[in-house]
Amino acid sequence: MTHNTLPRRAAETAERILPHDAGPGRILRAVDRIEQFTGADRVLDVIQRAVLALPLGSARDGLHGRWLGHPLHPVMVQVPLGSWLSAAVLDAVPGQRRAARILIATGLITVAPAAASGWVDWADLHKTQMRVGMVHAVTNLAAVALYSASLTARLRGREAAGRMLGLAGLGAVGVGGALGGHLAYRQASGANHAEAVPHLVSSGWHPIGALADLPEDQPVQREIEGIAVVAVRQGDQTVHVLAERCSHMAGPLAEGALENGCLRCPWHGSVFRLSDGWNVQGPATAPQPVFDTRITGGLVEAKLRTR
Ligand code: FES
């Protein structure tokens, strides 16, 4: 058997075990279709502008989770999800009607701040992510409507109807959660897009070019071991170097603007301090990898700084 036949046989075996139109593939293609569906893009644009125009001030960064170091939304959704799932369990336990109602009400109250954090994140996504995010939001809205109806039915003494509506709500929130997982892990919304840099650049000093070739007070792209970095020269003694791809969504920081010792990303406006890469303004929730620099014989060298 040659080396070439091995992968072919493995592929044929995989095809027999898991044909392309089997379950997982079908689900993935369905979500891919949501990503590619352009029919509602104008509506998305209107909602996006409305969310971005909300006068939230510094609360916007709070809702993004900048203070937490990663998106707040996945943390916030634990409360309504946990409450509703627990209510479903208590529905199966005799004598727990009141506790189940309290849990459903808790979910309905706490879903509002969870949704708020999700909407501010959503407004800074790529279009394909926004499409999936909108379906995620719609299924969760359906869950809220079903749980509201469930609680109303229970309070009116229609316990069986209340339980059925609760189960339907749990199904809707399950679909919403699966789409949220796709958004977070497959489409990498909310992930730190600069996380790989410290793992890809070897330790030690690396040349990034001649000082004379760096324009003053202007971000320019350079490379270290194939990894893009952005260099900003300030005077004859100081060069700042950060990872070039923004931690928020990999925007090109070399095309950004300098402001008060910081660099503003051209895509969604995250602001990173040049001296240490700190994300002083979101939506980025993670700082930018930063490099120490030195100038020897007119040559600029950079070394990854460990935080
Ligand atoms: S890519 Fe979104 S702020 Fe940089």
Side-chain angles (χ1 to χ4, degrees), residues 98-119:
R98 187 164 180 274
R101 289 175 192 176
I102 291 171
L103 283 170
I104 290 173
T106 302
L108 287 170
I109 293 166
T110 55
V111 79
S117 62
W119 280 112

Side-chain angles (χ1 to χ4, degrees), residues 3 15-16 79 82 85 100 117 138 140 166 173 193 202 213 292:
H3 283 299
E15 184 75 19
R16 276 200 304 278
V79 184
L85 185 59
S117 62
V138 167
N140 287 334
V173 94
H193 287 260
S202 61
D213 291 340
D292 289 321

Side-chain angles (χ1 to χ4, degrees), residues 139-190:
T139 54
N140 287 334
L141 271 174
V144 169
L146 287 163
Y147 273 112
S148 299
S150 170
L151 187 59
T152 304
R154 289 166 196 248
L155 291 173
R156 289 178 177 168
R158 294 165 52 220
E159 199 62 32
R163 288 180 183 179
M164 292 308 294
L165 286 164
L167 279 179
L170 194 60
V173 94
V175 173
L179 289 169
H182 181 93
L183 200 50
Y185 298 111
R186 188 169 176 91
Q187 295 185 288
S189 68

Side-chain angles (χ1 to χ4, degrees), residues 124 246-253 265-270 272 282-284:
D124 287 322
C246 176
S247 67
H248 176 235
M249 299 282 283
L253 291 183
C265 178
W267 280 7
H268 310 104
S270 291
F272 301 96

